[in-house]
Amino acid sequence: MKRTLSTVSLVAMTLVGAASLDQVAIAQEMREGVPTTLQRRPPPPLADQTPSINAFREENKRVKRPRFVVFWNRDFSDEVVTYYIDYQARALEVKTPTITRNTTTSTNMHTHANGQLHGTRDTRTTTSTRPGSVDAQAYEYSGTVRLNKDQARKNLEEILNWKVQGSFKNTMIKGGARLIDRDMITRVQGKDAKSNEQVNTHGLEINAMLGKADYMVEILLAPSYESQSGLAFQVNVVQVETGETITSLYTEAMPPTREVKRYEATDRGFQEYVEQEGYSEQAVGETLAVRTMEELTGYWRMMAE
């Protein structure tokens, strides 16, 4: 009987203790004269760029979906002819003899570290085993090199460049733009060119665009310490057939972001810092496309009035 009474008493004491804790918690929450705890205000939502994309899609349909060829970070120069030069060069190397023989070799050359090259290299080697003799090698180069080859501008680290460029193109396609690949149409246009032929690549490129593109989009980009995104872009849109400038746009392509306060535990306590949500290289490429589409939408609407 004593054991039973002890068990009952233990249960009763547990229930009383739990009730007391609940009462304390309620008293703490409902204490008079103490204001209620305010909830942290949620950060504002990121700006939605979908309306600009949708507006471009509608105008793009209305103007019969023109074709765009993109020159990404590549200068579109005013050169109309590709220049080549024939050259000859000689070099002599002297070293201690290691073998005894006379040889002459000829090698066909197709590439060179400084540009495109084709031609023939003749190498003559003469050796002697007499005391004090040397091994003399004479090199003769001859061929043709292209002088004014258009080069891509090397401004950004390669992976960063891929992220921005890929996002730009994908966003344009999402808006209904027809993007024509520059390298593809140039190769198709020059498919009948012969090996070692001195091709006028500038004229070939223009003929390729005249047949397969309506607008040329030239995008030049560079790092910038003055811009919020750390990048700067110059966008030029030109009508291929007439040469008319549709828009010329400078933009930092800073995507919509929001600042959110965070706290980090350190040996000096909790430290507050601000984190910028919404920023990425892909977001920069998307914003660049949206700014370009906004300019084109405004131009088409203006011309329709």
Side-chain angles (χ1 to χ4, degrees), residues 1-17:
M1 186 66 179
K2 185 177 179 181
R3 182 178 180 182
T4 304
L5 287 174
S6 299
T7 303
V8 171
S9 300
L10 181 60
V11 171
M13 291 175 62
T14 302
L15 292 175
V16 171

Side-chain angles (χ1 to χ4, degrees), residues 36-141:
T36 58
T37 303
L38 297 178
Q39 296 295 326
R40 182 182 298 275
R41 180 180 299 175
L46 294 175
D48 187 9
Q49 304 196 86
T50 304
S52 295
I53 298 175
N54 291 339
F56 172 82
R57 183 184 294 109
E58 293 302 317
E59 287 299 310
N60 190 50
K61 287 181 181 178
R62 187 183 61 78
V63 296
K64 310 301 182 184
R65 299 190 66 211
R67 300 161 298 178
F68 296 88
V69 60
V70 178
F71 276 64
W72 185 266
N73 208 30
R74 179 182 294 272
D75 289 312
F76 187 71
S77 68
D78 58 358
E79 298 282 358
V80 296
V81 176
T82 306
Y83 297 102
Y84 295 84
I85 184 173
D86 295 329
Y87 72 94
Q88 290 182 338
R90 293 182 180 181
L92 179 65
E93 179 182 356
V94 178
K95 61 183 180 180
T96 303
T98 57
I99 58 175
T100 303
R101 66 181 181 184
N102 296 317
T103 59
T104 299
T105 59
S106 296
T107 305
N108 291 325
M109 302 181 64
H110 298 285
T111 59
H112 191 270
N114 296 324
Q116 293 193 351
L117 171 69
H118 58 83
T120 301
R121 182 181 74 177
D122 294 330
T123 303
R124 295 191 303 274
T125 302
T126 303
T127 62
S128 175
T129 57
R130 290 178 300 174
S133 64
V134 297
D135 181 7
Q137 292 184 325
Y139 300 94
E140 293 184 358
Y141 297 90

Side-chain angles (χ1 to χ4, degrees), residues 248-263:
S248 183
L249 168 68
Y250 172 84
T251 178
E252 297 175 3
M254 183 64 187
T257 60
R258 60 188 176 194
E259 292 185 349
V260 180
K261 289 184 179 180
R262 306 289 188 193
Y263 295 90

Side-chain angles (χ1 to χ4, degrees), residues 196-259:
N196 295 336
E197 182 181 354
Q198 296 185 14
V199 178
N200 182 7
T201 56
H202 292 75
L204 187 148
E205 185 174 60
I206 288 297
N207 288 332
M209 284 197 293
L210 284 172
K212 294 180 173 61
D214 303 298
Y215 292 98
M216 182 197 73
V217 183
E218 180 189 39
I219 300 176
L220 305 179
L221 56 149
S224 173
Y225 294 106
E226 298 178 355
S227 72
Q228 190 177 1
S229 66
L231 300 170
F233 300 87
Q234 178 65 37
V235 182
N236 301 305
V237 182
V238 179
Q239 191 171 36
V240 173
E241 185 176 359
T242 65
E244 176 186 1
T245 297
I246 304 303
T247 185
S248 183
L249 168 68
Y250 172 84
T251 178
E252 297 175 3
M254 183 64 187
T257 60
R258 60 188 176 194
E259 292 185 349

